[in-house]
Amino acid sequence: MSPPLSPFIVSQSLKKLVNACYCFRKENQLPQAKNITKHMSVNQQDLDPDSTTNVENVTDPEEELIKECEEMWKEMEECQNKLLLVGTEALTESNAQLSLLIMQAKCLTAELSQWQKETPEIIPLNQDVLVTLGKEEFQKLTHDLEMVLSTLQSKNEKLQEDLEREQQWLDEQKQILESLNVLHNELKNQVEPFSESRIFNGLKTKMLRIREYKEKLLITLGEFLEDHFPLPDESAKKKKKNIQEPTVQLITLHEILEILINRLFDVPHDPYVKIIDSFWPPYIELLLRNGIALRHPEDPTQIRLEAFHQ
């Protein structure tokens, strides 16, 4: 039994068979069909040494060509069946890749052997053949050049689009630069010469205004507190029974707030003030309930002013 043929050998044989049948149909190319049949018989001897064909003893070339075609067709069917049988072999899951590589190696080895056995066909150097080959080469070259031209045109279109986009971006950047230059010139013209005395005088004026505003706020606060939060009246004390008179002089709510404010700004790291007897307890309770003052978290006898400025 002959070894299985590679797909390359089968395709070459099929190609020669089709060429032979095509030449047989042309009445004016009967000698060419004979030559192809002769080459096919030589290649068939390479594939199967047992089969021998003697073309020279055939009297009728048309009958011999038909006979060769039928034999070649039978061999093609056998080769096709062998290939189908080879392709339907079950491969185990573990050795699937190894089996595939072995089959590829066998196919490549058979293909290499066929190429080594084949002899290159010599093209007759007559004018018609050379003209035909030249036309084919020129057509192929023309097609390749058209493909290259189409590719270059598409690249040029893309480059043109990129160039237009970059040019637009450059124009926008130039407009921005011009606007910034105009703004810079305007600001440069508006800058006044630096003068320490002028700055010092300006700061001094601002400080005086702030002090005046502070004094005004304190006066307004004092008037408001004197009107709405006065010290307890002596006559009111006498009306109440079982109330002991304080031994110290009470201070106004205004004075309590001033003490808390001065402590907050003079000693910001420890703004708490100890509650003394001169602080009237209702005023302390008023400040604590309204969130104006806060009691010390560890010492309830100390309070501080809420930091409203932070």
Side-chain angles (χ1 to χ4, degrees), residues 139-185:
Q139 290 177 356
K140 183 179 179 181
L141 180 60
T142 303
H143 178 70
D144 294 340
L145 291 176
E146 288 177 353
M147 294 293 292
V148 172
L149 179 61
S150 176
T151 304
L152 291 177
Q153 286 178 351
S154 61
K155 287 184 178 180
N156 288 335
E157 291 177 358
K158 187 176 181 301
L159 290 175
Q160 187 66 27
E161 292 177 358
D162 294 340
L163 179 61
E164 291 177 357
R165 185 167 56 253
E166 294 295 330
Q167 186 66 35
Q168 184 179 0
W169 179 83
L170 180 61
D171 295 338
E172 293 177 356
Q173 295 300 318
K174 286 182 178 179
Q175 292 178 0
I176 294 173
L177 181 61
E178 291 177 358
S179 301
L180 291 176
N181 289 331
V182 172
L183 182 60
H184 174 70
N185 294 329

Coordinates of all heavy atoms in Angstrom, one line a residue, residues 139-185:
Q139 N 0.5 43.6 -16.2 CA -0.8 43.7 -15.5 C -0.6 43.6 -14.0 O -1.2 44.3 -13.2 CB -1.7 42.6 -16.0 CG -2.2 42.9 -17.4 CD -3.1 41.8 -18.0 OE1 -3.3 40.8 -17.3 NE2 -3.6 41.9 -19.2
K140 N 0.2 42.6 -13.6 CA 0.5 42.4 -12.1 C 1.2 43.6 -11.5 O 0.8 44.1 -10.5 CB 1.3 41.2 -11.9 CG 1.6 40.9 -10.4 CD 2.4 39.6 -10.3 CE 2.7 39.4 -8.8 NZ 3.5 38.1 -8.6
L141 N 2.2 44.1 -12.3 CA 2.9 45.3 -11.8 C 1.9 46.5 -11.8 O 2.0 47.4 -10.8 CB 4.1 45.6 -12.7 CG 4.9 46.8 -12.4 CD1 5.5 46.7 -11.0 CD2 6.0 47.0 -13.4
T142 N 1.0 46.7 -12.8 CA 0.1 47.8 -12.8 C -0.9 47.7 -11.6 O -1.2 48.7 -10.9 CB -0.7 47.7 -14.1 OG1 0.2 47.8 -15.2 CG2 -1.7 48.9 -14.2
H143 N -1.3 46.4 -11.3 CA -2.2 46.3 -10.2 C -1.5 46.6 -8.8 O -2.1 47.3 -8.0 CB -2.7 44.8 -10.1 CG -3.6 44.5 -9.0 ND1 -4.9 45.0 -8.8 CD2 -3.4 43.8 -7.8 CE1 -5.4 44.6 -7.7 NE2 -4.5 43.8 -7.1
D144 N -0.3 46.2 -8.7 CA 0.5 46.5 -7.5 C 0.7 48.0 -7.4 O 0.5 48.6 -6.3 CB 1.8 45.8 -7.5 CG 1.7 44.3 -7.4 OD1 0.6 43.8 -6.9 OD2 2.6 43.6 -7.8
L145 N 1.0 48.7 -8.5 CA 1.2 50.1 -8.4 C -0.1 50.9 -8.1 O -0.1 51.9 -7.4 CB 1.8 50.6 -9.8 CG 3.2 50.1 -10.1 CD1 3.7 50.6 -11.4 CD2 4.2 50.7 -9.0
E146 N -1.2 50.3 -8.6 CA -2.5 51.0 -8.3 C -2.8 50.8 -6.8 O -3.3 51.8 -6.2 CB -3.6 50.3 -9.1 CG -3.6 50.7 -10.6 CD -4.6 50.0 -11.4 OE1 -5.3 49.1 -10.8 OE2 -4.8 50.3 -12.6
M147 N -2.5 49.7 -6.3 CA -2.7 49.5 -4.8 C -1.8 50.4 -4.0 O -2.2 51.1 -3.0 CB -2.4 48.0 -4.4 CG -3.3 47.0 -5.0 SD -5.0 47.2 -4.3 CE -4.7 46.7 -2.6
V148 N -0.5 50.6 -4.5 CA 0.4 51.5 -3.8 C -0.1 52.9 -3.9 O -0.1 53.7 -2.9 CB 1.8 51.3 -4.3 CG1 2.7 52.4 -3.7 CG2 2.4 50.0 -4.0
L149 N -0.6 53.3 -5.1 CA -1.1 54.6 -5.3 C -2.3 54.9 -4.4 O -2.4 56.0 -3.8 CB -1.5 54.8 -6.8 CG -2.0 56.2 -7.2 CD1 -1.0 57.3 -6.9 CD2 -2.5 56.2 -8.6
S150 N -3.2 53.9 -4.3 CA -4.4 54.1 -3.5 C -4.0 54.3 -2.0 O -4.5 55.1 -1.3 CB -5.3 52.9 -3.6 OG -6.4 53.0 -2.8
T151 N -3.0 53.5 -1.6 CA -2.6 53.6 -0.2 C -1.9 54.9 0.1 O -2.2 55.6 1.1 CB -1.6 52.5 0.1 OG1 -2.2 51.2 -0.2 CG2 -1.1 52.5 1.6
L152 N -1.1 55.4 -0.9 CA -0.5 56.7 -0.7 C -1.5 57.8 -0.7 O -1.3 58.8 0.0 CB 0.6 56.9 -1.8 CG 1.8 56.0 -1.7 CD1 2.7 56.3 -2.9 CD2 2.6 56.2 -0.4
Q153 N -2.5 57.7 -1.6 CA -3.5 58.8 -1.6 C -4.3 58.8 -0.3 O -4.6 59.9 0.2 CB -4.5 58.5 -2.8 CG -3.9 58.8 -4.1 CD -4.8 58.5 -5.3 OE1 -5.9 57.8 -5.0 NE2 -4.5 58.8 -6.5
S154 N -4.6 57.7 0.3 CA -5.3 57.7 1.6 C -4.4 58.3 2.7 O -4.9 59.0 3.5 CB -5.7 56.3 1.9 OG -4.6 55.4 2.1
K155 N -3.1 57.9 2.6 CA -2.2 58.5 3.6 C -2.1 60.0 3.4 O -2.0 60.7 4.4 CB -0.8 57.8 3.5 CG -0.8 56.4 4.0 CD 0.6 55.8 4.0 CE 0.7 54.4 4.5 NZ 2.0 53.9 4.5
N156 N -2.0 60.4 2.2 CA -1.9 61.9 2.0 C -3.2 62.6 2.4 O -3.1 63.7 3.0 CB -1.7 62.1 0.5 CG -0.3 61.8 0.0 OD1 0.6 61.7 0.8 ND2 -0.2 61.4 -1.3
E157 N -4.4 62.0 2.2 CA -5.6 62.6 2.7 C -5.6 62.7 4.2 O -6.0 63.8 4.8 CB -6.8 61.8 2.3 CG -7.0 61.9 0.7 CD -8.2 61.0 0.3 OE1 -8.8 60.3 1.2 OE2 -8.5 61.0 -0.9
K158 N -5.1 61.7 4.9 CA -5.1 61.7 6.4 C -4.1 62.8 6.8 O -4.3 63.5 7.8 CB -4.7 60.3 6.9 CG -4.7 60.2 8.4 CD -4.4 58.8 8.9 CE -4.5 58.7 10.4 NZ -3.6 59.6 11.1
L159 N -2.9 62.8 6.2 CA -1.9 63.8 6.5 C -2.4 65.2 6.3 O -2.2 66.2 7.1 CB -0.6 63.6 5.7 CG 0.2 62.3 6.1 CD1 1.4 62.2 5.2 CD2 0.7 62.4 7.6
Q160 N -3.2 65.4 5.2 CA -3.8 66.7 4.9 C -4.8 67.1 6.0 O -4.8 68.3 6.5 CB -4.5 66.7 3.6 CG -5.0 68.0 3.1 CD -3.9 69.0 2.8 OE1 -2.8 68.6 2.5 NE2 -4.1 70.3 2.9
E161 N -5.6 66.2 6.5 CA -6.5 66.5 7.6 C -5.8 66.8 8.9 O -6.1 67.7 9.6 CB -7.4 65.2 7.8 CG -8.4 65.0 6.7 CD -9.2 63.7 6.9 OE1 -9.0 63.1 7.9 OE2 -10.1 63.4 6.0
D162 N -4.7 66.1 9.1 CA -3.9 66.4 10.3 C -3.3 67.7 10.2 O -3.2 68.5 11.2 CB -2.8 65.3 10.5 CG -3.4 63.9 10.8 OD1 -4.6 63.9 11.3 OD2 -2.7 62.9 10.6
L163 N -2.8 68.1 9.0 CA -2.2 69.4 8.8 C -3.2 70.5 9.0 O -2.9 71.5 9.7 CB -1.6 69.4 7.4 CG -0.9 70.8 7.0 CD1 0.3 71.1 8.0 CD2 -0.4 70.7 5.6
E164 N -4.4 70.3 8.5 CA -5.4 71.4 8.7 C -5.8 71.5 10.2 O -6.0 72.6 10.7 CB -6.6 71.0 7.9 CG -6.4 71.1 6.3 CD -7.6 70.6 5.6 OE1 -8.6 70.2 6.2 OE2 -7.6 70.7 4.3
R165 N -5.9 70.4 10.9 CA -6.2 70.4 12.3 C -5.1 71.1 13.1 O -5.4 72.0 14.0 CB -6.5 69.0 12.8 CG -7.0 69.0 14.2 CD -7.5 67.6 14.6 NE -6.5 66.6 14.4 CZ -6.6 65.7 13.4 NH1 -7.6 65.7 12.6 NH2 -5.7 64.7 13.3
E166 N -3.9 70.8 12.8 CA -2.7 71.4 13.5 C -2.7 72.9 13.1 O -2.3 73.7 14.0 CB -1.4 70.7 13.1 CG -1.3 69.3 13.6 CD -1.3 69.2 15.1 OE1 -0.8 70.1 15.7 OE2 -1.8 68.2 15.6
Q167 N -3.0 73.3 11.9 CA -2.9 74.7 11.5 C -4.0 75.5 12.2 O -3.8 76.6 12.7 CB -3.1 74.8 10.0 CG -3.0 76.2 9.4 CD -1.6 76.7 9.6 OE1 -0.6 75.9 9.4 NE2 -1.4 78.0 9.8
Q168 N -5.2 74.8 12.4 CA -6.3 75.5 13.1 C -5.9 75.7 14.6 O -6.1 76.8 15.2 CB -7.5 74.7 13.0 CG -8.7 75.3 13.7 CD -10.0 74.4 13.6 OE1 -9.9 73.4 13.0 NE2 -11.1 74.9 14.1
W169 N -5.2 74.7 15.2 CA -4.8 74.8 16.6 C -3.7 75.9 16.7 O -3.7 76.7 17.6 CB -4.2 73.4 17.0 CG -3.7 73.5 18.4 CD1 -4.4 73.3 19.6 CD2 -2.3 73.6 18.8 NE1 -3.6 73.4 20.7 CE2 -2.3 73.6 20.2 CE3 -1.1 73.8 18.1 CZ2 -1.1 73.7 20.9 CZ3 0.1 74.0 18.8 CH2 0.1 73.9 20.2
L170 N -2.8 76.0 15.7 CA -1.8 77.0 15.7 C -2.4 78.4 15.6 O -2.0 79.3 16.4 CB -0.8 76.8 14.6 CG 0.4 77.8 14.4 CD1 1.2 77.7 15.7 CD2 1.2 77.4 13.2
D171 N -3.4 78.6 14.8 CA -4.1 79.9 14.7 C -4.7 80.3 16.0 O -4.7 81.4 16.4 CB -5.1 79.8 13.6 CG -4.5 79.6 12.2 OD1 -3.2 80.0 12.1 OD2 -5.1 79.2 11.3
E172 N -5.4 79.3 16.7 CA -6.0 79.6 17.9 C -5.0 80.0 19.0 O -5.2 80.9 19.8 CB -6.8 78.3 18.4 CG -8.0 78.0 17.6 CD -8.7 76.7 18.0 OE1 -8.1 76.1 19.0 OE2 -9.7 76.4 17.4
Q173 N -3.8 79.3 19.0 CA -2.8 79.6 19.9 C -2.2 81.0 19.7 O -1.9 81.8 20.6 CB -1.6 78.6 19.9 CG -2.0 77.2 20.3 CD -2.5 77.2 21.7 OE1 -1.9 77.8 22.6 NE2 -3.6 76.4 22.0
K174 N -2.1 81.4 18.4 CA -1.6 82.7 18.1 C -2.6 83.8 18.5 O -2.2 84.8 19.1 CB -1.4 82.8 16.5 CG -0.2 82.1 16.0 CD 0.0 82.3 14.5 CE 1.2 81.6 14.0 NZ 1.4 81.7 12.5
Q175 N -3.9 83.5 18.4 CA -4.9 84.5 18.9 C -4.8 84.6 20.4 O -4.9 85.7 20.9 CB -6.3 84.0 18.4 CG -6.5 84.1 16.9 CD -7.9 83.6 16.5 OE1 -8.7 83.2 17.4 NE2 -8.2 83.6 15.2
I176 N -4.7 83.5 21.1 CA -4.5 83.6 22.5 C -3.3 84.3 22.9 O -3.3 85.2 23.9 CB -4.5 82.1 23.1 CG1 -5.9 81.4 22.9 CG2 -4.2 82.2 24.6 CD1 -5.9 80.0 23.3
L177 N -2.2 84.1 22.2 CA -1.0 84.8 22.5 C -1.1 86.3 22.3 O -0.6 87.1 23.1 CB 0.2 84.3 21.7 CG 1.6 84.9 21.9 CD1 2.0 84.7 23.3 CD2 2.6 84.3 20.9
E178 N -1.8 86.7 21.2 CA -2.0 88.1 21.0 C -2.9 88.7 22.1 O -2.6 89.9 22.5 CB -2.7 88.3 19.6 CG -1.7 87.9 18.4 CD -2.5 88.1 17.1 OE1 -3.7 88.4 17.1 OE2 -1.8 87.8 16.1
S179 N -3.9 88.0 22.5 CA -4.8 88.6 23.6 C -4.0 88.7 24.9 O -4.1 89.7 25.6 CB -6.0 87.6 23.8 OG -6.7 87.5 22.6
L180 N -3.1 87.7 25.2 CA -2.3 87.8 26.4 C -1.3 89.0 26.3 O -1.1 89.7 27.3 CB -1.6 86.5 26.6 CG -2.5 85.3 27.0 CD1 -1.7 84.1 27.1 CD2 -3.2 85.6 28.3
N181 N -0.8 89.2 25.1 CA 0.2 90.3 25.0 C -0.5 91.7 25.2 O 0.0 92.6 25.8 CB 0.8 90.3 23.6 CG 1.8 89.1 23.5 OD1 2.4 88.7 24.5 ND2 2.0 88.6 22.3
V182 N -1.7 91.8 24.6 CA -2.5 93.0 24.8 C -2.8 93.3 26.3 O -2.7 94.4 26.8 CB -3.8 93.0 23.9 CG1 -4.7 94.2 24.3 CG2 -3.4 93.0 22.5
L183 N -3.2 92.2 26.9 CA -3.6 92.3 28.4 C -2.3 92.6 29.2 O -2.4 93.4 30.1 CB -4.2 91.0 28.8 CG -4.6 90.9 30.3 CD1 -5.7 92.0 30.6 CD2 -5.1 89.5 30.7
H184 N -1.2 92.0 28.8 CA 0.1 92.3 29.5 C 0.4 93.8 29.3 O 0.9 94.4 30.3 CB 1.2 91.4 29.0 CG 2.5 91.7 29.5 ND1 2.9 91.5 30.8 CD2 3.6 92.3 28.9 CE1 4.1 91.9 31.0 NE2 4.6 92.3 29.9
N185 N 0.3 94.3 28.2 CA 0.6 95.7 27.9 C -0.3 96.6 28.7 O 0.2 97.7 29.3 CB 0.6 96.0 26.4 CG 1.6 95.3 25.6 OD1 2.7 95.0 26.2 ND2 1.3 95.0 24.4

